Amino acid sequence: MFASLLLFVAASVSVKAAPFVKRGMDQVISNCNHDFAYTWDDGPYTAHNDITNAFNQVNGKTTYFMNGDNWSCIYDQANVQAIRASFDAGHQIASHTWSHAHLTQLSEAQIDVEIQRLDEAFLKIVGVVPKFLRPPYGDIDERTASYIQQRHGKTIVLWSDDSGDSTGGSTQQSINFYNAFANENPKRPHMTLSHETSPSGYNAMYAGTVGTLSRGGVRLVTVAQCLDTNPYLVVQQRSERDSTWYCGGTWNPPTTTTTRTTSTSTSTRTSTSTSSTPAPTCVQTYTSKAGDTCASIEGQFGLQSGSILAANSFLNCQDIWVNTPICIPPGGSTTTRTTTTPTSTSTSGPAPTCVSTYTAVAGDTCAKIEYNYELPSGSILAANSFLNCNDIWAWTPICIPPGGTGCTLKISTVAGDNTCSAIASRYGITVAQLQAWNPSWLNCNDVWTNTPLCVRH
Ligand SMILES: [Zn+2]
């Protein structure tokens, strides 16, 4: 009784979909049930037709997790033709968000745009709304996953094996990576990750990975096939190009949205017009640490008393669970987490202090985390001796030791992040801070997409 009441309140006054529930990310899929899904992210891009042809030649299938406006515009004529050819040949079309966004850092309204603008493009180009979505960077949390599933009906998938082509892996490493699956005996299910936009990813394909797998007895199927489910939420006639086929500019969700919200949630929203203030947007999402209270978080971000609970109505302010994603509302001072006190060390040894705690995502390795935080090789394992560096489970809290540049959050810029002021406002920092935390070559008037930048110290 009380729980359902709480849920009603949370759904009505907050941007949160439901109270945070401490459980595994069981609604996020990261492997096939059977066979092999060789998947491609970040397209459509220049090698798209050749990738499709490589799979066609061996009667195999692949899956494309595509963006609307990332490395190229999905509505470009060459892209439209390439996507239609892939779809017509039976390859799976799936969502990777409109602009390759960090979904956990967006408000629900922003998530809606990232998903719906791309759904609309796929509907126009091939006549489908994809059921599958892969979050860029594998960046997903409980709140975001629940929202995307409930609001948009998507099935969220990550991957079981990363070729490493987007994180510095060479063509030869990608070739070796796929050869190993061709030689695997007995064969197990896999869902692999390569990138249409990565030279080592597509050059490995040109070098024959698809044929090698096929000859090795690997059955190449789509993600939907290896999970025995339907790839699409909607299938209808495709349409002809008109003035709505554009990237850039502004876009608003259609008024006649095909939303999948349940009637109960609609009725709760309308029945709670007595709630005082509209739901706040979040300038960022903070992952709670042991000992956090609403007051301590408000102190960290320079926020007014009461503002954390107002933005996260599901919280018990005196008993916040570790790793709870918390909406940080606007209005704070710009000094975010610079004065974090070191966590106390155990008495059993000279454990290092942590400048911050990072929550692992699928695909993380010690080397990748060290790269992101600009730490010396070996330092993550030294500070987290329990880790298996090559098999880090998602959601593992990881101590970030001192010794790096002091950066506690690195991002990769997305479309729209063209200026320092745009990026600074998105992360609630100043332009001066952004410049101070990043290399001197950063041109604040012309920031490129996919530039790694530090946005928090
Ligand atoms: Zn991506």
Side-chain angles (χ1 to χ4, degrees):
M1 185 62 168
F2 177 72
S4 63
L5 198 72
L6 189 71
L7 192 114
F8 267 67
V9 174
S12 60
V13 302
S14 155
V15 293
K16 297 289 171 287
F20 180 74
V21 179
K22 197 173 189 175
R23 57 184 159 85
M25 292 279 288
D26 53 359
Q27 73 271 56
V28 175
I29 294 169
S30 58
N31 202 357
C32 289
N33 292 336
H34 54 79
D35 295 303
F36 195 101
Y38 187 143
T39 76
W40 298 87
D41 283 9
D42 293 10
Y45 205 53
T46 50
H48 191 101
N49 279 324
D50 293 337
I51 295 168
T52 292
N53 289 336
F55 284 86
N56 290 347
Q57 278 170 20
V58 300
N59 254 332
K61 295 283 180 280
T62 189
T63 303
Y64 295 104
F65 291 90
M66 289 183 280
N67 301 117
D69 190 11
N70 184 17
W71 288 63
S72 66
C73 172
I74 196 169
Y75 287 120
D76 290 352
Q77 187 56 33
N79 287 333
V80 168
Q81 286 173 352
I83 294 168
R84 284 178 170 173
S86 299
F87 176 79
D88 291 345
H91 304 293
Q92 186 179 339
I93 306 302
S95 176
H96 197 42
T97 75
W98 176 259
S99 72
H100 206 267
H102 271 287
L103 288 169
T104 63
Q105 296 167 12
L106 301 185
S107 68
E108 290 184 351
Q110 290 170 319
I111 292 173
D112 290 347
V113 170
E114 282 295 334
I115 293 176
Q116 287 181 287
R117 189 171 184 181
L118 182 57
D119 280 355
E120 184 182 286
F122 284 134
L123 202 56
K124 287 171 173 169
I125 293 168
V126 284
V128 300
V129 171
K131 179 175 181 178
F132 288 85
L133 178 143
R134 176 175 284 158
Y137 318 99
D139 180 18
I140 192 74
D141 58 26
E142 199 84 40
R143 170 190 80 97
T144 315
S146 297
Y147 178 73
I148 290 170
Q149 288 173 317
Q150 289 164 21
R151 178 70 170 74
H152 296 283
K154 302 294 192 202
T155 297
I156 298 168
V157 290
L158 295 171
W159 55 86
S160 63
D161 302 87
D162 183 353
S163 69
D165 67 338
S166 74
T167 50
S170 65
T171 299
Q172 191 58 50
Q173 282 173 311
S174 271
I175 293 169
N176 295 346
F177 170 81
Y178 284 106
N179 282 351
F181 299 120
N183 295 326
E184 187 180 50
N185 187 16
K187 296 278 188 282
R188 287 180 293 140
H190 294 281
M191 189 181 290
T192 61
L193 174 63
S194 285
H195 294 76
E196 285 188 54
T197 51
S198 165
S200 44
Y202 58 72
N203 283 331
M205 175 278 296
Y206 285 125
T209 52
V210 178
T212 302
L213 286 165
S214 180
R215 285 190 302 278
V218 173
R219 236 166 57 107
L220 298 165
V221 299
T222 66
V223 166
Q225 285 172 326
C226 82
L227 295 169
D228 303 297
T229 182
N230 193 315
Y232 305 117
L233 295 167
V234 174
V235 180
Q236 63 182 45
Q237 289 287 327
R238 63 186 60 165
S239 47
E240 295 300 321
R241 179 181 294 275
D242 63 28
S243 63
T244 66
W245 292 37
Y246 67 94
C247 293
T250 55
W251 180 90
N252 293 310
T255 47
T256 55
T257 49
T258 54
T259 60
R260 273 163 253 287
T261 37
T262 62
S263 56
T264 49
S265 69
T266 313
S267 62
T268 49
R269 275 178 201 282
T270 50
S271 67
T272 51
S273 51
T274 52
S275 64
S276 52
T277 51
T281 53
C282 313
V283 294
Q284 69 185 83
T285 300
Y286 165 73
T287 303
S288 64
K289 294 180 297 190
D292 273 341
T293 63
C294 289
S296 74
I297 298 167
E298 284 155 2
Q300 267 186 51
F301 290 91
L303 288 161
Q304 285 191 325
S305 179
S307 53
I308 287 294
L309 183 59
N312 302 270
S313 56
F314 62 91
L315 278 183
N316 175 345
C317 276
Q318 303 311 318
D319 184 22
I320 298 177
W321 292 18
V322 174
N323 290 330
T324 303
I326 293 177
C327 168
I328 304 299
S333 71
T334 51
T335 55
T336 50
R337 291 163 66 191
T338 45
T339 57
T340 308
T341 51
T343 51
S344 61
T345 54
S346 75
T347 51
S348 60
T353 55
C354 313
V355 294
S356 64
T357 301
Y358 165 72
T359 304
V361 298
D364 271 341
T365 61
C366 290
K368 189 172 161 188
I369 297 166
E370 284 156 2
Y371 171 82
N372 280 334
Y373 286 94
E374 297 172 29
L375 287 161
S377 179
S379 54
I380 286 294
L381 184 59
N384 303 269
S385 55
F386 62 92
L387 277 184
N388 175 347
C389 274
N390 295 308
D391 183 23
I392 298 177
W393 292 22
W395 296 99
T396 304
I398 294 182
C399 167
I400 303 298
T405 56
C407 186
T408 58
L409 180 61
K410 270 220 151 174
I411 58 134
S412 185
T413 54
V414 297
D417 286 344
N418 338 56
T419 62
C420 286
S421 57
I423 300 162
S425 76
R426 195 146 75 82
Y427 290 93
I429 58 176
T430 65
V431 170
Q433 285 174 315
L434 189 63
Q435 288 178 305
W437 299 339
N438 288 287
S440 54
W441 47 254
L442 180 64
N443 177 351
C444 274
N445 298 313
D446 182 23
V447 181
W448 293 17
T449 303
N450 289 321
T451 303
L453 290 180
C454 179
V455 295
R456 197 185 304 154
H457 259 234

